[in-house]
Amino acid sequence: MLPLNETGIPDTRTRALLRELGWRLRHLWWLKAGGTTLFMTAFFAAYLELLHRPWYPVTQMPLTWLDRQVDFQPWALVAYASLWIYVSLPPALAASRARLFSYGWHIGSLCVAGLLIFVWWPTAVPPAAVDWGLYPGYALLKGIDKGGNACPSLHVATALYSCLWLARELRDLGGGPGLRLGNWAWCGLIVFSTLATKQHVSLDVLAGVVLALTVAALSPGLRRSGQGT
């Protein structure tokens, strides 16, 4: 929640933050919108091709104790689907072309690394004891993504990498603790949703975290200010 003064009007710091957010969202909006759309389209084309036509025999991922503790949660589909909004926020808030291209290059490298793993080691989650026909949204999801291309979870990897990037942007913007906590909470819900929707198992999640942290360690954009040319 944004801080208000005694009159109920956002204080000076909040107004400055809102102005900066508005400027960033408008700045290069056509490039950000077009680039994000093109990137997602290309990614999904490659992802679905490998999902439906794996090059090698598919390995079924084992369940762990954690997987047995997390029951199927119908509401988690909303958090799961929100990834596509979440990963659009870092490019939308980029203050410069350099910042935008840095994020695009590194999250693109993350996705390519994941796809290469799926080429040489295709994996899938075990069938869940759920009647997906009872949940229309899930029937659609399972019709598109049948629980393959499981390890590493690119849902987790892209969410965590975007979370780290957004944390950097929020520091640059002077966002308060509520915004920063909200960023981590949103990411946490997305990660949890991969288990609660039964789209992934815990080993997929762990591998996704490792992939995200590896790319983050190689990303200079996470160590530099969000300003630039």
Side-chain angles (χ1 to χ4, degrees):
M1 185 174 181
L2 295 173
L4 306 176
N5 59 26
E6 62 275 6
T7 65
I9 300 173
D11 59 24
T12 302
R13 180 179 176 183
T14 301
R15 290 198 297 271
L17 173 61
L18 291 175
R19 283 196 300 270
E20 177 67 13
L21 282 172
W23 178 83
R24 289 192 179 204
L25 290 173
R26 294 190 303 272
H27 182 58
L28 299 173
W29 67 267
W30 53 272
L31 180 59
K32 295 171 179 177
T36 299
T37 301
L38 181 61
F39 177 88
M40 288 187 176
T41 300
F43 168 77
F44 269 114
Y47 179 90
L48 293 175
E49 174 65 23
L50 291 174
L51 178 65
H52 296 295
R53 299 177 182 82
W55 290 21
Y56 297 101
V58 177
T59 300
Q60 188 175 102
M61 296 299 295
L63 297 174
T64 66
W65 173 85
L66 179 60
D67 299 309
R68 297 183 178 92
Q69 305 311 306
V70 179
D71 294 329
F72 169 65
Q73 304 287 337
W75 63 264
L77 180 61
V78 176
Y80 188 85
S82 75
L83 174 76
W84 311 116
I85 298 173
Y86 190 63
V87 297
S88 300
L89 294 179
L93 294 177
S96 65
R97 279 186 174 84
R99 189 76 174 157
L100 177 62
F101 291 159
S102 179
Y103 174 78
W105 170 257
H106 288 96
I107 201 166
S109 299
L110 182 156
C111 291
V112 168
L115 291 173
L116 287 175
I117 293 172
F118 300 153
V119 167
W120 302 110
W121 185 47
T123 51
V125 297
V130 178
D131 183 356
W132 301 115
L134 299 176
Y135 308 95
Y138 281 92
L140 176 63
L141 173 65
K142 296 298 180 179
I144 299 172
D145 186 351
K146 300 179 179 180
N149 290 349
C151 187
S153 168
L154 289 186
H155 227 78
V156 169
T158 54
L160 179 55
Y161 185 77
S162 296
C163 180
L164 295 171
W165 199 275
L166 281 170
R168 173 79 239 199
E169 297 289 8
L170 291 173
R171 287 197 299 272
D172 288 344
L173 285 165
L179 286 175
R180 296 197 296 271
L181 180 60
N183 175 42
W184 285 101
W186 192 348
C187 178
L189 278 174
I190 292 172
V191 171
F192 175 75
S193 75
T194 63
L195 299 177
T197 57
K198 299 305 175 183
Q199 283 293 103
H200 289 282
V201 299
S202 57
L203 292 178
D204 306 336
V205 171
L206 178 60
V209 169
V210 170
L211 177 58
L213 294 180
T214 299
V215 175
L218 300 173
S219 299
L222 287 172
R223 298 185 291 275
R224 296 175 184 168
S225 169
Q227 303 299 323
T229 58

